[in-house]
Amino acid sequence: MNRVIRELAALPRDARDTLFLLCVIGLILLPQIENLPWWCTAITAMVLLWRASLSVQGRSLPSKWWRLALLALILGATYATHRTLLGRDAGVTLIVSLLALKTLELRARRDAFVIFFLGFFAMLTNFFYSQSLLTAFTMLLALLGLLTALVNAHMPVGRPPLMQAARMAGWMALAGAPIMLALFLLFPRLAPLWGTPSDAMVGRSGLSNTMRVGTIAELALDDRIAARIKFDGDRAPPQSQLYFRGPVLAQFDGREWTALPSWARGAQWSPNLRVSGEPVRYEVTLEASNRPWLLTLDASQQPPAAPGFEVTGTPDLQWIANRPVTDLVRYRAESYTQFQSGPLKRTGGQLQAYLALPPGTNPRTAALAAEMRADPALANANAQAFVQAALRRLRTGGYSYTLEPGIYGNDTADEFWFDRKEGFCEHIASAFVVLMRNLNVPARIVTGYQGGELNGVDNYWIVRQSDAHAWAEIWQEGIGWTRVDPTGSVAPGRIGQTQRLQPQPGLIAGAFGSMSPTLVQNIRAAWEAVNNGWNQWVLNYTQSRQLNLLKNIGFKAPSLEDLAYVLLYLLVGASLAGAGWTLWERSRHDPWLRLLGRARARLAKAGLQVPDTAPPRQMAQAADAHFGPAAQAVRDWLLKLEAQRYAPATPDSLSTLRAEFRRIAWPTDHPRG
């Protein structure tokens, strides 16, 4: 290791500066790896390593024909991958590739400046895909690296250490921080330029607008955060009551559950929500999902107050925004955990859609339903009695909850009830609803999230994609729709606090966890609290919060015009302060020279004119020749002043010399005769 450091220190300055710039470029592009095509990552890494090798070995750069060939390859591969050279993904691919390619013609400072500016732009493209705290921290390091390289490029003479340029870059960043903060607080909030996150949910836990049963052999738990919930007064309902409602699925083709179209649901019907008990008030910070759903705790009478969105409700108690949630969104809601909804009587065939099943599917489940109806104990039974019988079968029939159920066949309910007897929540809920419909009980599937975990650092409840859940609702005469969660009969811990789903920890987390079971949990809670603060105060700093800031500083009815005026006044004030500082800086002189000038002025007042260019020793000799012994103190003081400048080991400081200057008995204009 020491040998490598010595070899790097011995490199010529051009090679050292080039390697440093290549490392900064690598840091800028590192977060983009998961967003880029594999070939782009490979070509970029190859070019950067090639350029580093040429720099270390002192070899000449490749000819323009090599660069043209690589450019043609990149353009062709980009078009083949994205079917366009325009747009976000294709544009980022080209920017990254061209930034790496530009390093192959890095010969002069002009080329370096082009790379600097391309690097700044490439930094911004990272925020097209993620605005997380980790991304921001990485880009801050990259910004300091680019500023260091830029400052170093403006120091062409000699071999200044990179640390010197880094210190200057740090001071530049600190000097610009107040302006950055003012622009962040007051520049009008606009819709972000960056696009939407990926939406691949297949094979991973999470929420979707369809539920395809039995096609996933193994469910991988997704540990990403879906939402954060802050209950007013930190009075959260029991964890077993935390059901956050998402899409309601009622149409079944034998394998896949989908939502009913609006005409089949009866868009003209009222949800007829009936609530009891005290409401629960809370604030939701919803992560981007590229879906229009606004999650609320079951069930909410009023639409959530989401600034910038028009929110409408559906007859099945779901809240839909007028556009997809492509960015972090925060809203308030009020819910009742004790509720019923829907019609109280069957009229006009409005519930027929919740009884429909594909003909000929799941024949053994249909036979099970016929057997239950023929059971004397269930003679003339209502819907609730059938529900209890089905749940009792789940509890006592050897059924189990697993994330690795294997691939199911076409009759998924039959396989669950009679063959496999295992699955995760979608298998259990689907089989239960199919059985209920065969029993002539209207039933549907509700998807959403169940549970969550309390972060003890900031008291936010964290709902993860691994908390995605599916449960059932059955309709009963005189009662309406009622929630039934059959998974709770198979695995009660999945609904309570004792058996929350957790992904397998990584190697490092597992090692720390084996040493201290609570260490990883505490670190994770602290990190998520910090990240939540970033989300609340930075990513979710909206236009309404800007206007609230103006209210807090005295504006009665702030508007965007007021915001613009405040920003303008601040910018003008900062410009005047900068101009004043520049004038003051120009008027500053070396304090040693100022003290020497004061001595020259006192000698002139005493009748001795000395040249402005005269050093202290020459002035001392002139004073001795002009005033004789009367100038002894002046001569000694001037020699001390010279020693202070050119012999730093002297104990006399400038402050000491200033004090002596005031005590000196300066001679009068009586020269030696």
Side-chain angles (χ1 to χ4, degrees), residues 460-480:
Y460 274 78
W461 279 83
I462 297 176
V463 179
R464 303 182 185 278
Q465 295 295 349
S466 56
D467 294 317
H469 192 51
W471 60 93
E473 285 184 335
I474 60 104
W475 184 87
Q476 187 174 353
E477 187 84 22
I479 297 177

Side-chain angles (χ1 to χ4, degrees), residues 294-315:
L294 295 185
L295 298 176
T296 58
L297 188 66
D298 244 355
S300 179
Q301 282 185 313
Q302 301 298 323
F309 290 87
E310 296 177 10
V311 184
T312 56
T314 65

Side-chain angles (χ1 to χ4, degrees), residues 109 118 466 608 621:
R109 292 176 64 197
L118 278 175
S466 56
L608 175 60
Q621 292 171 352

Side-chain angles (χ1 to χ4, degrees), residues 177-387:
I179 298 176
M180 177 200 69
L181 181 61
L183 290 174
F184 171 77
L185 292 175
L186 299 173
F187 196 83
R189 300 280 102 181
L190 303 174
L193 297 176
W194 38 86
T196 60
S198 61
D199 191 39
M201 291 290 187
V202 178
R204 298 188 66 82
S205 57
L207 199 58
S208 179
N209 58 351
T210 62
M211 193 177 83
R212 191 166 181 84
V213 184
T215 59
I216 300 174
E218 180 178 352
L219 184 67
L221 291 180
D222 190 341
D223 204 30
R224 291 177 301 172
I225 294 175
R228 292 179 172 89
I229 317 295
K230 180 71 171 178
F231 290 98
D232 288 5
D234 295 328
R235 293 191 296 271
Q239 194 173 28
S240 59
Q241 295 182 15
L242 296 181
Y243 284 84
F244 297 94
R245 196 179 192 89
V248 179
L249 313 177
Q251 194 165 268
F252 187 50
D253 64 1
R255 293 295 294 272
E256 186 173 51
W257 290 91
T258 56
L260 288 174
S262 58
W263 60 266
R265 283 184 294 185
Q268 73 277 12
W269 299 338
S270 167
N272 193 21
L273 178 62
R274 303 173 296 281
V275 300
S276 60
E278 291 296 320
V280 178
R281 297 179 178 88
Y282 53 96
E283 183 180 74
V284 180
T285 304
L286 186 66
E287 296 286 335
S289 63
N290 199 26
R291 303 290 191 181
W293 314 316
L294 295 185
L295 298 176
T296 58
L297 188 66
D298 244 355
S300 179
Q301 282 185 313
Q302 301 298 323
F309 290 87
E310 296 177 10
V311 184
T312 56
T314 65
D316 46 27
L317 305 182
Q318 188 185 3
W319 296 106
I320 307 292
N322 61 325
R323 55 186 173 86
V325 177
T326 57
D327 207 353
L328 196 74
V329 117
R330 184 165 62 178
Y331 53 88
R332 290 194 58 80
E334 179 182 277
S335 299
Y336 294 81
T337 57
Q338 302 175 36
F339 68 95
Q340 294 171 347
S341 66
L344 298 177
K345 294 183 179 180
R346 292 194 194 189
T347 56
Q350 57 182 324
L351 296 174
Q352 196 59 38
Y354 300 102
L355 291 168
L357 289 169
T361 59
N362 297 295
R364 287 184 289 173
T365 303
L368 174 62
E371 180 183 329
M372 292 174 66
R373 286 195 302 268
D375 187 347
L378 295 174
N380 301 318
N382 60 15
Q384 191 60 36
F386 285 130
V387 167

Side-chain angles (χ1 to χ4, degrees), residues 135 163 473 595:
T135 300
M163 188 55 66
E473 285 184 335
L595 192 55

Side-chain angles (χ1 to χ4, degrees), residues 85 166 174 252 290 550 583 598:
L85 296 179
L174 286 176
F252 187 50
N290 199 26
L550 293 188
L583 292 175
R598 290 174 63 186

